Amino acid sequence: MKLAYWMYAGPAHIGTLRIASSFKNVHAIMHAPLGDDYFNVMRSMLSRERDFTPVTTSVVDRHVLARGSQEKVVDNITRKDKEENPDLIVLTPTCTSSILQEDLANFVERAQMDAQGDVMLADVNHYRANELQAADRTLQQIVEFYLKKAAKQGDLPVERTEKPSVNIIGITTLGFHNNHDVTELKRLMADLGIEVNAVIPEGASVHDLKNLPKAWFNLIPYREIGSLTAEYLQREFEMPYVDITPMGVVETARCIRAIQKLLNERGVAANYDQFIDDQTRFASQAAWFSRSIDCQNLTGKRCVVFGDNTHAAALTKVLSREMGLKVVLAGTYCKYDEAWFRQEVEGYCDEVLISEDNGAIADKIAQLEPAAIFGTQMERHVGKRLNIPCGVIAAPIHVQNFPVGYRPFLGYEGANQLVDLIYNSFTLGMEDHLLEIFGGHDTKEVITHTLSADADLNWTTDGLTELKRVPGFVRGKVKRNTEKFAREQGYTEITAEVIYAAKEAVGA
């Protein structure tokens, strides 16, 4: 068993708590030992939200192990029901407490007899699901619970809204730039003449979930959270959905055209071609920048992209298709959705890496020596160690990824923000070249090792000295060719003599 000292996606209960904390007046009871109860601290440190995190831990201790936890869990649920008066209490175990194999569904039934609000168990396999999968499942479960409850009470609306309307599904607490993205999506829908019927779960009331079927369609901006809910609504209420992430000029236009097609099929003569053209040619700075001399200076630069499915796939397309950069590696840690990711990035990158191992992506970056990295906070740390700039484009996140200013990643304004992020992530202009010519510091530090302990080649002092004599703009290529030659010839050390031999072998 390999010890996970850094995780890209947290355990399942974090996903459930994210969904519960996103709704208004929903409280979560976490059945867990001390040590699993770090969600409150994490949310209060990162998200810069003003509200107290509504999560309580029902601690599994030695007394619980001796007597069982039913009485304690039920007491905690009923106590919080009286103190907080929530609309819903969600009970979730953690992967640790799941080992006890207790009948938590029975605990919920017992608590529901005394509680004034609703009580439900987050039905998630904590051994198999990660944070993102659990969040997706929990949101769908809560939506299904309240729609069935409304149908049973005869309180379920059957008519669509008079004007075209949309539900935006998947906006959560601790989501990467989610609070800014939803503002941009609302503006975009307003420009298209579409009303926003609901945004869930962030800021929504569970009592309003019964109104979801009133919308004409659902928009799922992030593949990780919201897909199961959209599929359920389509299956039970024949609600179509659009799951194209509007990130970058091209994908934003594709998303809008998908909405146009959907509305046309429902009898609305929607035509957004002129809107797309105006935004692309005149309003969006991103489209203008892609034709500017500054962007042409980036053409062909090598970069690595790594993150969740949504952001890594979208940014790979933006870099390759809209800005002319060379994506030498595109990767994701969402192993459960590998087929979708490979299909999305096919043709836009040289290589695909599907991995949850931070060491594997770090070693790959060290081997490829890209000009820039676009990844998570983990890749930012890797970039610092390798002296490679990194733009953060996905979770895992840091407090700096919750900017006070307006920084959406979606829509046309999001495309502008992406341009700035990408452009500013590179060492630009003639800076390096001029410093080398006029005797400044050598900014092209040589990377001669991987970041894990399994490096198979060692560079000697004279080998490094010789390599540093190579001009910076071709040094990476010379290094890669030399290492390839050394492996083929069976060398374990690279000396100056090996460099000379490799040079002769390639005829340089």
Side-chain angles (χ1 to χ4, degrees):
M1 182 176 179
K2 186 173 182 179
L3 180 65
Y5 61 96
W6 260 2
M7 297 176 67
Y8 282 104
H13 72 274
I14 297 297
T16 293
L17 297 179
R18 282 180 59 189
I19 297 301
S21 298
S22 296
F23 280 106
K24 289 191 300 186
N25 205 30
V26 171
H27 200 91
I29 301 289
M30 179 169 46
H31 180 49
L34 293 175
D36 285 352
D37 57 347
Y38 55 88
F39 178 79
N40 286 348
V41 176
M42 181 174 68
R43 181 174 179 268
S44 61
M45 288 177 62
L46 292 179
S47 65
R48 292 179 174 176
E49 296 179 36
R50 301 184 181 189
D51 298 330
F52 178 76
T53 305
V55 175
T56 298
T57 304
S58 181
V59 179
V60 176
D61 54 20
R62 59 190 176 89
H63 301 294
V64 167
L65 294 176
R67 298 196 304 264
S69 57
Q70 175 169 318
E71 182 179 344
K72 185 174 184 179
V73 170
V74 172
D75 285 348
N76 282 327
I77 292 175
T78 55
R79 177 173 59 85
K80 280 298 172 181
D81 178 72
K82 293 177 181 178
E83 292 176 356
E84 307 292 340
N85 194 29
D87 298 323
L88 170 67
I89 291 179
V90 178
L91 174 64
T92 178
T94 67
C95 53
T96 310
S97 63
S98 295
I99 296 173
L100 300 176
Q101 296 185 336
E102 296 177 294
D103 188 2
L104 297 185
N106 179 258
F107 296 4
V108 166
E109 291 179 7
R110 282 279 310 277
Q112 185 66 83
M113 295 172 63
D114 297 323
Q116 297 300 310
D118 295 315
V119 185
M120 65 179 292
L121 173 67
D123 183 17
V124 175
N125 188 325
H126 288 260
Y127 297 119
R128 298 195 176 192
N130 66 17
E131 172 188 344
L132 301 175
Q133 293 168 292
D136 198 15
R137 168 61 181 143
T138 301
L139 179 59
Q140 183 263 321
Q141 186 183 359
I142 292 175
V143 168
E144 182 176 352
F145 178 89
Y146 279 96
L147 287 176
K148 286 184 175 179
K149 180 179 178 180
K152 187 176 181 180
Q153 296 175 344
D155 193 27
L156 191 65
V158 294
E159 298 293 330
R160 306 283 189 211
T161 57
E162 183 178 350
K163 296 181 179 179
S165 59
V166 60
N167 297 320
I168 301 174
I169 301 176
I171 307 298
T172 72
T173 186
L174 293 181
F176 185 79
H177 289 245
N178 277 197
N179 53 338
H180 301 161
D181 283 347
V182 71
T183 300
E184 187 62 24
L185 289 176
K186 287 178 178 178
R187 289 178 178 177
L188 181 60
M189 293 302 109
D191 289 340
L192 300 178
I194 299 172
E195 297 177 346
V196 175
N197 181 61
V199 175
I200 64 169
E202 182 66 14
S205 167
V206 292
H207 295 310
D208 294 335
L209 294 177
K210 66 183 180 182
N211 295 319
L212 290 178
K214 294 172 63 177
W216 289 37
F217 69 100
N218 297 312
L219 176 62
I220 317 300
Y222 313 113
R223 182 167 177 82
E224 289 75 24
I225 302 176
S227 296
L228 290 180
T229 301
E231 291 168 5
Y232 166 75
L233 291 171
Q234 183 182 57
R235 185 170 61 249
E236 296 296 326
F237 299 95
E238 298 182 351
M239 295 183 69
Y241 64 88
V242 175
D243 60 355
I244 300 170
T245 301
M247 190 179 299
V249 174
V250 176
E251 289 299 287
T252 298
R254 194 163 76 93
C255 178
I256 293 172
R257 289 194 175 98
I259 294 172
Q260 173 182 300
K261 179 181 178 182
L262 188 151
L263 295 180
N264 290 343
E265 291 172 352
R266 288 181 168 260
V268 176
N271 189 334
Y272 300 130
D273 291 344
Q274 188 61 50
F275 172 78
I276 293 172
D277 184 64
D278 289 344
Q279 288 290 325
T280 302
R281 291 203 297 153
F282 306 116
S284 171
Q285 296 298 307
W288 163 83
F289 181 83
S290 66
R291 301 188 299 272
S292 70
I293 188 65
D294 285 331
C295 189
Q296 291 177 28
N297 287 334
L298 300 180
T299 301
K301 281 187 176 290
R302 305 166 73 253
C303 55
V304 166
V305 181
F306 193 85
D308 61 21
N309 271 348
T310 296
H311 294 88
L315 199 72
T316 297
K317 295 177 185 177
V318 170
L319 291 168
S320 176
R321 181 169 56 190
E322 298 183 25
M323 301 191 71
L325 282 87
K326 184 175 181 60
V327 181
V328 293
L329 178 74
T332 181
Y333 51 79
C334 298
K335 295 177 67 174
Y336 62 90
D337 207 10
E338 176 179 350
W340 180 89
F341 184 80
R342 288 187 180 276
Q343 181 179 354
E344 287 295 300
V345 301
E346 183 180 4
Y348 297 109
C349 62
D350 294 347
E351 186 178 352
V352 176
L353 175 63
I354 313 293
S355 177
E356 296 174 344
D357 186 349
N358 174 251
I361 180 64
D363 284 349
K364 200 67 180 177
I365 292 171
Q367 293 166 10
L368 292 171
E369 293 187 358
I373 308 165
F374 298 96
T376 73
Q377 280 292 334
M378 294 191 193
E379 282 65 55
R380 188 177 70 86
H381 291 305
V382 171
K384 280 192 171 183
R385 293 169 66 185
L386 298 176
N387 198 27
I388 301 174
C390 178
V392 178
I393 54 101
I397 44 185
H398 184 271
V399 67
Q400 68 184 31
N401 302 127
F402 291 89
V404 176
Y406 188 52
R407 289 287 304 279
F409 271 44
L410 302 185
Y412 288 107
E413 178 57 30
N416 294 340
Q417 298 291 341
L418 284 177
V419 163
D420 282 339
L421 175 70
I422 294 167
Y423 185 71
N424 295 335
S425 294
F426 287 92
T427 303
L428 302 170
M430 299 292 288
E431 179 184 349
D432 279 358
H433 185 56
L434 292 174
L435 284 170
E436 288 183 12
I437 289 177
F438 295 110
H441 67 280
D442 189 344
T443 59
K444 299 270 185 188
E445 189 65 32
V446 182
I447 303 168
T448 60
H449 56 277
T450 59
L451 293 185
S452 63
D454 58 357
D456 59 340
L457 294 174
N458 179 48
W459 283 76
T460 64
T461 302
D462 66 324
L464 282 174
T465 301
E466 189 62 30
L467 184 60
K468 286 184 177 181
R469 292 196 178 108
V470 178
F473 63 94
V474 294
R475 190 179 295 155
K477 182 178 181 180
V478 170
K479 172 186 169 289
R480 289 189 293 273
N481 288 340
T482 303
E483 289 183 341
K484 180 181 178 182
F485 172 81
R487 290 188 179 96
E488 290 174 350
Q489 299 301 318
Y491 293 115
T492 57
E493 284 191 339
I494 299 181
T495 64
E497 292 298 325
V498 174
I499 295 178
Y500 301 148
K503 183 178 179 181
E504 292 177 3
V506 297

